[in-house]
Amino acid sequence: MNHLLKISNFIGGKSVEPLSGKYLDNYEPAIGQVYSLIPDSDANDVQLAVDAALKAFPSWSAMSNDDRSEWLIKIAQGIEDRLDEFAEAESRDNGKPVSLAKSVDIPRAVSNFRFFAHALTHFSSESHFMQGIGINYTLRQPIGIAGCISPWNLPLYLLTWKIAPALAAGNTVVAKPSEVTPFTAYLLGKLCEDIQLPQGVLNFVHGTGPQVGEPICIHPEIKAISFTGGTATGRRIASVAAPMFKKLSLELGGKNPNIIFADCNYAEMLATTVRSSFSNQGQICLCGSRIFVERPIYEKFKADFVAKVSALKVGDPANENTKTGAVVSESHMQKVLSYIQLAQDEGGKVLAGGQRIYPEGRCKDGWFIEPTIIEGLSHDCRTNQEEIFGPVVTIMPFDTEEEVLSYANSTIYGLATTVWTENLTRAHRVAERLESGIVWVNCWLLRDLRTPFGGVKNSGVGREGGMEALHFFTEAKNVCIKYQ
Ligand code: NAD
């Protein structure tokens, strides 16, 4: 095991081993084998990170906006300069194609730092004038230490979407990347060491949810928790952090509907629907997994969609031409396959895919699943209600707008919806009635980083993005001055 790369924590500006000296195995999904070791940290390592973050807070929070902005730009530039290294690490950890990491995930991490580097220099607060009596103004001050906890599906993209605004607002950070995909956070720590980001401003503690995540959530010095992950984990975090009156932002699971009306731009809809269903092996919280198609075009859509999806090449993610890679872990693969079985038990018919794949060569033991399409299920069966989070979608026809809205809104989730129609009035009407934090009309995954991002219902509370994120990571204090 000596040849395995040993990932370290990043605390107080330095790479450090976990205090216990214990490590966990980190698997490469495409080959199904261990390729590195992750610190199996615990509450003692979290305490070290908190000590470092506390020490760094006075000077980081007092730094001028311009100087703090410069630091964020330096981090962005550092990631951009090492794009290939980050993309290969992300692909190795996660199973996603290198080409996807290079074109989407890593560039977005760069944009996250750039965006908040600029946003912080435009961050203003309000004043309220009480005519003839006095004036109020709002001071937005950093909270102290922010805890940032992220999942495995978009490892660097989602981690930096939290870290960048937290740092921009003048906080110091203790972050825990997913133990399933720790490699890019490790590289980011090394980058911060290289550019000599002031020590303790940003700290990474690697390890499991119960051993590291939970100590972050209950640490009295960590005043805000920004979490992205599953709904059950979010519920647990809320149960321990809310009684401590911490600020909480929870971005959770989804079961996103994709509503296709017969009057849509068909070619664009079809190409985008393949992407919105199977990008990153369907492991994007924003992927559509329930596809509702207006009856006049249902049979045509079914034939065209099945043909396109069956042609998707699944294979070695390290190959630049691969479009569909491995799913993230063996246990996740088993979970997804069990849902494909459940769908058939519930009366569904598999139209495409449905099986595990064993590619030839180095990936023969990797965790690959064919992109899968299922029809013949009711909107309220378990397959159509529970989050699967893999390369599996269901399709079903509908006749009326009222009917499809009731299907779309029938789950406990409400993260994102895609609507395809050329009828402008209908697009607005449907968007208003959808129980969803995001509605895309005639597009998918188009993001303006200034807009609020997040879900409704069991998909979460709080909003990330733009000024909302800077508000989350600051406390608003009202100063009221009465005229004498
Ligand atoms: P997860 O909830 O299992 O883990 C997420 C993170 O929480 C990991 O770092 C994990 O170690 C940590 N964690 C686990 N238990 C914890 C605890 N008790 N206290 C503190 N931290 C704990 O989720 P996952 O499997 O990594 O990610 C997949 C899920 O994330 C899916 O449900 C997906 O929909 C969701 N997701 C949501 C969004 C969004 O923006 N809403 C984005 C991406 C992923």
Side-chain angles (χ1 to χ4, degrees):
M1 287 274 181
N2 287 341
H3 61 287
L4 295 177
L5 169 76
K6 238 186 197 180
I7 284 175
S8 40
N9 288 332
F10 178 66
I11 298 176
K14 289 195 269 300
S15 298
V16 293
E17 297 209 353
L19 290 170
S20 68
K22 290 192 205 153
Y23 285 83
L24 300 163
D25 289 338
N26 184 25
Y27 286 85
E28 181 171 352
I31 59 170
Q33 280 170 23
V34 177
Y35 83 101
S36 75
L37 298 173
I38 318 160
D40 188 8
S41 314
D42 58 30
N44 295 323
D45 303 284
V46 171
Q47 186 58 51
L48 272 190
V50 169
D51 292 343
L54 270 179
K55 201 166 157 204
F57 180 70
S59 55
W60 182 253
S61 56
M63 191 180 273
S64 75
N65 281 354
D66 282 350
D67 288 349
R68 229 182 297 128
S69 173
E70 277 299 315
W71 276 115
L72 296 197
I73 287 169
K74 265 190 207 165
I75 299 174
Q77 191 58 50
I79 300 173
E80 196 162 43
D81 292 345
R82 301 175 189 188
L83 179 86
D84 288 351
E85 190 186 359
F86 273 98
E88 279 155 27
E90 175 126 341
S91 165
R92 217 168 164 198
D93 251 2
N94 176 280
K96 72 179 61 185
V98 171
S99 55
L100 184 69
K102 242 183 223 180
S103 59
V104 176
D105 296 70
I106 310 304
R108 173 58 192 274
V110 173
S111 302
N112 288 343
F113 278 109
R114 287 235 164 89
F115 175 83
F116 284 106
H118 297 304
L120 89 95
T121 64
H122 296 268
F123 191 38
S124 57
S125 66
E126 315 83 54
S127 72
H128 296 91
F129 170 54
M130 301 164 83
Q131 213 169 20
I133 302 171
I135 191 160
N136 300 265
Y137 62 86
T138 307
L139 280 179
R140 294 198 181 271
Q141 297 172 302
I143 294 174
I145 307 178
C148 300
I149 301 177
S150 56
W152 49 258
N153 64 322
L154 304 170
L156 193 67
Y157 173 143
L158 291 174
L159 186 67
T160 55
W161 185 228
K162 299 176 179 307
I163 290 171
L167 294 178
N171 304 285
T172 53
V173 169
V174 175
K176 190 197 99 59
S178 168
E179 64 275 32
V180 185
T181 52
F183 202 174
T184 45
Y186 165 68
L187 292 181
L188 182 56
K190 288 183 86 62
L191 165 66
C192 292
E193 199 171 346
D194 292 349
I195 62 171
Q196 297 182 335
L197 180 72
Q199 294 179 349
V201 165
L202 174 59
N203 305 276
F204 292 120
V205 186
H206 293 275
T208 65
Q211 294 266 44
V212 177
E214 195 137 335
I216 289 175
C217 294
I218 61 176
H219 199 292
E221 289 292 353
I222 298 181
K223 307 292 185 193
I225 303 292
S226 175
F227 168 80
T228 300
T231 295
T233 315
R235 186 174 289 120
R236 169 75 194 161
I237 289 174
S239 78
V240 296
M244 299 178 78
F245 309 111
K246 297 196 180 204
K247 278 190 124 178
L248 277 178
S249 170
L250 303 172
E251 301 294 343
L252 311 176
K255 188 75 181 173
N256 305 317
N258 193 344
I259 302 174
I260 300 169
F261 288 99
D263 69 348
C264 66
N265 176 332
Y266 188 82
E268 203 172 325
M269 175 280 295
L270 186 64
T272 307
T273 304
V274 173
R275 244 176 10 98
S276 67
S277 304
F278 298 110
S279 288
N280 202 28
Q281 299 72 248
Q283 301 166 138
I284 300 179
C285 53
L286 304 167
C287 278
S289 56
R290 299 178 291 147
I291 304 177
F292 303 113
V293 187
E294 206 174 7
R295 199 173 300 275
I297 60 164
Y298 181 76
E299 289 302 327
K300 176 172 167 49
F301 171 80
K302 177 168 130 182
D304 293 343
F305 189 52
V306 167
K308 276 204 176 290
V309 170
S310 304
L312 286 176
K313 202 177 147 348
V314 181
D316 189 343
N319 179 339
E320 290 271 354
N321 300 320
T322 297
K323 293 274 178 271
T324 310
V327 297
V328 78
S329 66
E330 186 169 21
S331 60
H332 191 57
M333 177 184 71
Q334 295 304 350
K335 177 189 147 183
V336 174
L337 290 173
S338 77
Y339 269 104
I340 295 173
Q341 184 57 52
L342 172 72
Q344 292 169 91
D345 296 344
E346 290 185 313
K349 181 173 168 207
V350 174
L351 300 176
Q355 304 289 332
R356 178 176 178 181
I357 299 182
Y358 299 87
E360 291 193 345
R362 79 170 196 118
C363 294
K364 66 180 176 13
D365 298 320
W367 303 315
F368 294 83
I369 300 178
E370 291 172 316
T372 299
I373 306 170
I374 297 166
E375 79 161 349
L377 291 167
S378 67
H379 74 279
D380 56 357
C381 67
R382 277 185 57 202
T383 309
N384 271 329
Q385 293 289 314
E386 297 176 15
E387 185 181 44
I388 301 174
F389 212 54
V392 180
V393 297
T394 63
I395 61 172
M396 67 183 285
F398 69 88
D399 291 300
T400 67
E401 194 178 300
E402 209 54 38
E403 178 192 4
V404 78
L405 276 167
S406 74
Y407 294 165
N409 289 339
S410 70
T411 73
I412 57 170
Y413 298 108
L415 188 52
T417 308
T418 300
V419 179
W420 291 92
T421 180
E422 292 292 290
N423 180 332
L424 187 63
T425 310
R426 172 158 60 197
H428 289 301
R429 190 171 58 231
V430 169
E432 190 187 321
R433 292 186 61 195
L434 281 163
E435 296 167 2
S436 185
I438 304 154
V439 179
W440 277 297
V441 178
N442 299 332
C443 59
W444 177 70
L445 215 60
L446 190 59
R447 289 275 299 127
D448 180 326
L449 300 189
R450 292 169 299 182
T451 58
F453 174 90
V456 299
K457 295 161 61 177
N458 287 22
S459 290
V461 288
R463 288 291 178 273
E464 298 187 330
M467 293 303 162
E468 305 251 356
L470 293 177
H471 284 180
F472 174 75
F473 285 114
T474 49
E475 295 284 17
K477 179 190 288 173
N478 183 52
V479 181
C480 177
I481 304 165
K482 186 173 181 295
Y483 299 152
Q484 294 300 319

